[in-house]
Amino acid sequence: MCESKVILKKGESEEVVMEDVVRIEVENGKVKMWGLLGEYGEVEGRIVLMDFRQHRIVVEGGK
């Protein structure tokens, strides 16, 4: 499987906002995420890094 963690980066701090993410859509400055079991979340910002070896997606910005 290739689930990833989505990490929100604000300045120097990083916070895991969702784990086991299997789908991402970007729309109007929002990153929408769906988890392996159907969970849903969204954050404002932009994707700055997608590292599939580390299963890590970094979003920089907003709320």
Side-chain angles (χ1 to χ4, degrees):
M1 293 283 207
C2 57
E3 303 90 31
S4 294
K5 289 182 185 178
V6 174
I7 298 163
L8 181 61
K9 181 175 182 173
K10 291 183 180 180
E12 294 300 313
S13 68
E14 292 186 350
E15 169 190 359
V16 175
V17 292
M18 192 168 184
E19 296 192 33
D20 299 325
V21 174
V22 295
R23 177 179 173 172
I24 290 182
E25 291 182 14
V26 178
E27 183 178 303
N28 298 324
K30 292 187 179 181
V31 178
K32 299 179 178 186
M33 307 162 281
W34 285 266
L36 184 62
L37 301 175
E39 317 89 322
Y40 174 78
E42 65 180 50
V43 293
E44 289 185 16
R46 63 187 184 94
I47 296 173
V48 294
L49 173 68
M50 295 173 63
D51 184 345
F52 295 117
R53 289 174 132 194
Q54 299 284 326
H55 304 280
R56 173 180 156 97
I57 298 168
V58 179
V59 177
E60 183 178 72
K63 303 171 187 172

